[in-house]
Amino acid sequence: MPKQMYSANDRVKIRAEDGGEKEVTITSVQVDIGDDMNGEAVVVVQDDDMEEYRVLGSTFARALVERVAAELGYVANASARTLRTQRSRVLGVVLPTLLNPAFAECLQGIALAAAANGYAILPVMTSYDEAQEQQAVAQLLAAGVDGMILVVSSPSDSAALARLRGTGLPYVLAYNAHPEHPCVSVDGEAAAAEAVARLVALGHSRIAMVSGTLTASDRAQQRYRGYLRGMAAAGLQAPALVEVPFVTTAVAALSRYLQAEPRPTALFCSN
């Protein structure tokens, strides 16, 4: 390790144990012969509390390089780094849409968590379409992402997930719930049953459900099962499900439905 890069009494910044920076004074440079340092050059530094400790030369050199890079405004070439490390530091995100505020908030959370850990994200929208899910996974694999976070229409028979599993790339499902896939989700069925029970407790007996297209979302299917469970638990007959498109207005269809007899006294709505 070349000593001319620094000398005793220089004030420098190094990376502290908590991940931040710490300004120290170099007191000496030596070569340690102990087994713990494997003969590597060691920089002895002293903090402002006059406490001395030793820093491996390689660690210290990295701190100096990072300091110079910051002073020069140097930005690492991500493509070159990917070639060297075989890691892109990018996560692919597959979502149905950002018109649904739930998915927009989900993406915001993913972006913040990824950035906090040194990753960028590459989001792709699929419009609740299984063919677009397959295309999204193919595009992200081609882009060399390090992993994927996905919301798919039907994890039990998803061709996109089948291809992804075959690659061995790490992935996790959000909102979907399936025993064969890693997932972070909520119990939509139980939540729907509780919502129906709440309406029954308020005195309602004619409770209809309005949902997005069941075939396009396993989350919608979970909520519908919960609705039916809640109605059965209350001894009530469930009227026919009102299915509407996910991302377009349903005012006209609901207006016609509410004008027919017998009119429901409450609606349980699933986006």
Side-chain angles (χ1 to χ4, degrees):
M1 181 173 170
K3 294 183 180 181
Q4 63 268 26
M5 290 180 65
Y6 45 82
S7 60
N9 300 320
D10 280 353
R11 293 285 286 175
V12 296
K13 289 183 178 180
I14 64 170
R15 191 179 302 277
E17 292 181 358
D18 61 2
E21 285 190 337
K22 186 173 189 177
E23 190 170 79
V24 296
T25 301
I26 300 173
T27 57
S28 68
V29 179
Q30 57 189 260
V31 175
D32 191 278
I33 60 173
D35 292 338
D36 59 333
M37 297 298 185
N38 296 317
E40 183 176 348
V42 173
V43 180
V44 180
V45 297
Q46 186 178 78
D47 62 20
D48 291 335
D49 295 325
M50 306 302 289
E51 180 179 348
E52 283 196 345
Y53 55 97
R54 302 186 308 168
V55 181
L56 278 175
S58 57
T59 302
F60 193 79
R62 179 185 178 91
L64 291 175
V65 170
E66 290 176 345
R67 185 188 69 179
V68 173
E71 292 173 352
L72 295 176
Y74 171 78
V75 178
N77 186 299
S79 297
R81 181 178 59 196
T82 299
L83 287 173
R84 182 176 65 84
T85 65
Q86 295 300 299
R87 296 185 63 187
S88 63
R89 306 293 294 182
V90 175
L91 299 177
V93 183
V94 178
L95 296 174
T97 178
L98 291 183
L99 297 178
N100 183 332
F103 293 133
E105 291 180 5
C106 176
L107 184 64
Q108 174 75 0
I110 292 171
L112 292 175
N117 289 277
Y119 282 81
I121 64 169
L122 182 56
V124 183
M125 306 305 129
T126 62
S127 300
Y128 297 94
D129 183 83
E130 293 188 2
Q132 290 190 42
E133 290 172 6
Q134 295 183 56
Q135 183 179 8
V137 167
Q139 289 175 337
L140 292 173
L141 288 172
V145 298
D146 289 343
M148 293 190 205
I149 302 170
L150 311 93
V151 179
V152 298
S153 297
S154 177
S156 59
D157 56 3
S158 170
L161 289 183
R163 176 176 182 181
L164 184 54
R165 292 184 71 176
T167 67
L169 190 76
Y171 72 95
V172 63
L173 301 181
Y175 296 104
N176 298 118
H178 195 277
E180 295 182 7
H181 300 281
C183 55
V184 178
S185 186
V186 297
D187 192 341
E189 184 172 337
E194 290 179 9
V196 171
R198 174 63 175 167
L199 292 173
V200 171
L202 293 174
H204 295 283
S205 57
R206 295 193 303 277
I207 305 170
M209 179 174 178
V210 181
S211 172
T213 309
L214 293 187
T215 56
S217 169
D218 68 328
R219 284 86 62 205
Q221 295 168 24
Q222 293 167 20
R223 296 167 192 149
Y224 184 52
R225 289 196 299 268
Y227 163 75
L228 293 176
R229 193 175 85 191
M231 294 292 283
L236 300 176
Q237 182 69 33
L241 175 69
V242 182
E243 288 188 81
V244 297
F246 275 109
V247 293
T248 57
T249 181
V251 173
L254 283 178
S255 296
R256 289 192 298 271
Y257 178 76
L258 293 176
Q259 290 170 3
E261 294 293 339
R263 188 175 185 272
T265 61
L267 294 177
F268 169 56
C269 301
S270 166
N271 63 340

